[in-house]
Amino acid sequence: MIDFNRLRQSMVDSQIRPNDVTDLRLIAAMLELPRERFVPAARADLAYLDDDLVVREAAAGKPARYLIEPMVLAKLIQALDLNENSRVLDIGCATGYSAAILARLAGQVVAIEEDADLAAAARRNLSDLGIANVEIVTGPLQEGAAAKGPYDAILINGSVEQLPDALLGQLKEGGRLAAVMRTGPLGRATLHVRAAGVVSSRPLFDAGVPLLPGFKALKGFVF
């Protein structure tokens, strides 16, 4: 029988703590939340590997979807600097793992997922774990959820080639958006901050995670 508690502890000790993740609330959330419940049963034994994990295979013209690598997720969330009053938008929540972590750190989470089956799975997973401060909504990921904003922080679960103005416009003054910006085969985790009505950005660390649907650069787009 797989000892998921041991695997979870090993993930934190070998992937999270050694990579400058120091937020004790975030570490506690990753120690407590059963990541294996957010992946297909056939892949449960892979839930704590230091890699992106497929939660839906590519099929019928739809791209594969992933839970992004735990270390990358942890560092992106830490960069958002959340507190118990934060209102957070979680883009591409898939089966809800990222939303579950955010729920431990923030006051309210709006998690958007465009795939109805994944959104349903996220609702079930969060309900089963008794997590009540997350609202799952369905719709195009690149449009966000403006009607429920603005937000103190936005997390994007995957790499992007461009950031839609629609998302940046949903940040509050002082709000922060964390995403992996892809300009080639790899990418760079980047923090975007709105201050005095202007959004600036700074690089955080190199990262390679799968491209999130809807965030491919338009032809001719240049950074």
Side-chain angles (χ1 to χ4, degrees), residues 4-23:
F4 287 114
N5 289 331
R6 181 182 62 79
L7 292 177
R8 196 176 306 121
Q9 182 72 57
S10 178
M11 176 191 73
V12 169
D13 290 343
S14 64
Q15 301 174 42
I16 307 304
R17 293 182 189 272
N19 281 287
D20 300 320
V21 177
T22 58
D23 186 325

Side-chain angles (χ1 to χ4, degrees), residues 8 34 62 67 105 107 110 124 128 130 133-134 139 145 169 181 188 190 205 209 219:
R8 196 176 306 121
K62 294 182 178 181
L67 297 188
L105 308 177
V110 176
R124 286 194 302 271
D128 289 347
N133 61 331
V134 177
M181 306 299 299
R188 177 164 290 185
T190 304
F205 57 95
V209 295
K219 188 175 180 179

Side-chain angles (χ1 to χ4, degrees), residues 37-38 56 93-96 111-128 135-139:
R37 297 183 63 169
F38 294 87
R56 191 199 65 197
C93 70
T95 55
I112 184 165
E113 176 49 58
E114 65 183 13
D115 184 278
D117 291 337
L118 289 177
R123 292 188 184 98
R124 286 194 302 271
N125 290 332
L126 295 171
S127 177
D128 289 347
E135 180 181 2
I136 306 291
V137 298
T138 56

Side-chain angles (χ1 to χ4, degrees), residues 18-35:
N19 281 287
D20 300 320
V21 177
T22 58
D23 186 325
L24 296 180
R25 298 176 307 139
L26 175 55
I27 290 171
M30 299 194 84
L31 277 171
E32 294 165 6
L33 286 167
R35 195 169 191 256

